[in-house]
Amino acid sequence: MQSPLLDHAALTGTERYSLQNPQMLRVVLDGGPADVLARSGAMVAHTGRVQFTGWTPPGRRNRANVAPTELDLMRCSGTGTVYLANLAQHLHILDLRRDRLTVNSTYVLAMDTTISWQVVGIEGGERIAGVGTRSLELTGSGRLVLMTSGQPLVMRVEPGRYVYADADAVVGWSSGLEVQLQAQSSNTEAWRRRGTATEGWEMAFTGAGHVLVQPSELLAPQRVPVR
């Protein structure tokens, strides 16, 4: 068979995390003790002897005790190559080195088991359906892979200068930043952003760090559970 389609053959190499293409992650497992945690259902292909098992965060007795604001992850272990993706979203590999990063849990695709997290609240965040209700502070050292709907914008925040972004477009930010939620509309139902023709809630950041914004004001597509 001859076709330009064959130009998209699987890459080679032993690097643990790499991008097969901008929307597909390639993970190499060497059979060692360092497994990879990935978004449940994100595997699209694999080679070798790889096992995918449900994963419960430390301190939880079972998966039923995991709050919906946290991460629904599976453990990938064994020897082989795993390809991960989620509805063709763009992927970004971050190298955390004892950093603290706050992200919307729905935009996490994969991470090393050396990274830990805790649910953090944003004042007034329970009133909106975006970042404010799904914020996790990630800490530790290791690789983290985030998803965005399209190519993102990284905005630098400097002391004394506010940066504003639509709450439905924010993917994550440096944990040291101060965050405020404020309505951009006098509409009494501003929290129902998609039901109005006006702007809804925005997030204001101040301090020193960065804010990651995607070119979409919709929440990331959710995996539909099988019943």
Side-chain angles (χ1 to χ4, degrees), residues 138-198:
L138 306 177
T139 58
S141 298
R143 291 290 182 90
L144 166 70
V145 183
L146 296 180
M147 308 178 290
T148 60
S149 296
Q151 292 289 5
L153 166 69
V154 177
M155 302 186 70
R156 183 175 180 83
V157 184
E158 300 176 346
R161 173 177 173 266
Y162 276 92
V163 168
Y164 304 89
D166 188 292
D168 283 340
V170 174
V171 173
W173 61 90
S174 304
S175 295
L177 295 176
E178 294 183 20
V179 186
Q180 299 176 3
L181 278 170
Q182 57 190 40
Q184 274 296 91
S185 172
S186 59
N187 191 321
T188 58
E189 296 200 14
W191 61 274
R192 295 179 57 190
R193 188 193 178 285
R194 299 173 190 86
T196 70
T198 59

Side-chain angles (χ1 to χ4, degrees), residues 10-212:
L11 300 178
T12 59
T14 59
E15 187 174 358
R16 184 172 174 83
Y17 291 91
S18 61
L19 293 181
Q20 170 67 29
N21 59 55
Q23 295 151 305
M24 185 178 295
L25 178 70
R26 179 178 183 269
V27 180
V28 176
L29 299 173
D30 60 6
D35 296 335
V36 169
L37 299 177
R39 180 187 180 97
S40 294
M43 186 275 291
V44 294
H46 75 88
T47 63
R49 300 179 63 85
V50 180
Q51 296 80 45
F52 304 93
T53 57
W55 182 80
T56 303
R60 309 294 195 276
R61 290 179 298 178
N62 52 60
R63 290 174 65 83
N65 296 121
V66 179
T69 53
E70 295 192 60
L71 298 172
D72 184 9
L73 299 175
M74 61 183 179
R75 182 184 292 271
C76 308
S77 58
T79 303
T81 303
V82 181
Y83 299 89
L84 303 171
N86 183 63
L87 298 179
Q89 289 184 287
H90 287 248
L91 305 180
H92 315 277
I93 302 174
L94 287 73
D95 188 6
L96 300 185
R97 302 178 181 179
R98 298 183 180 179
D99 299 303
R100 293 190 305 127
L101 179 68
T102 302
V103 301
N104 183 322
S105 63
T106 58
Y107 298 113
V108 175
L109 179 70
M111 67 171 69
D112 286 330
T113 56
T114 52
I115 296 177
S116 59
W117 69 84
Q118 63 177 347
V119 178
V120 294
I122 300 174
E123 186 176 355
E126 69 282 354
R127 303 179 62 187
I128 65 173
V131 172
T133 57
R134 299 178 178 84
S135 299
L136 301 178
E137 184 177 76
L138 306 177
T139 58
S141 298
R143 291 290 182 90
L144 166 70
V145 183
L146 296 180
M147 308 178 290
T148 60
S149 296
Q151 292 289 5
L153 166 69
V154 177
M155 302 186 70
R156 183 175 180 83
V157 184
E158 300 176 346
R161 173 177 173 266
Y162 276 92
V163 168
Y164 304 89
D166 188 292
D168 283 340
V170 174
V171 173
W173 61 90
S174 304
S175 295
L177 295 176
E178 294 183 20
V179 186
Q180 299 176 3
L181 278 170
Q182 57 190 40
Q184 274 296 91
S185 172
S186 59
N187 191 321
T188 58
E189 296 200 14
W191 61 274
R192 295 179 57 190
R193 188 193 178 285
R194 299 173 190 86
T196 70
T198 59
E199 288 294 333
W201 290 92
E202 70 177 17
M203 303 179 75
F205 300 90
T206 186
H210 297 84
V211 178
L212 178 63

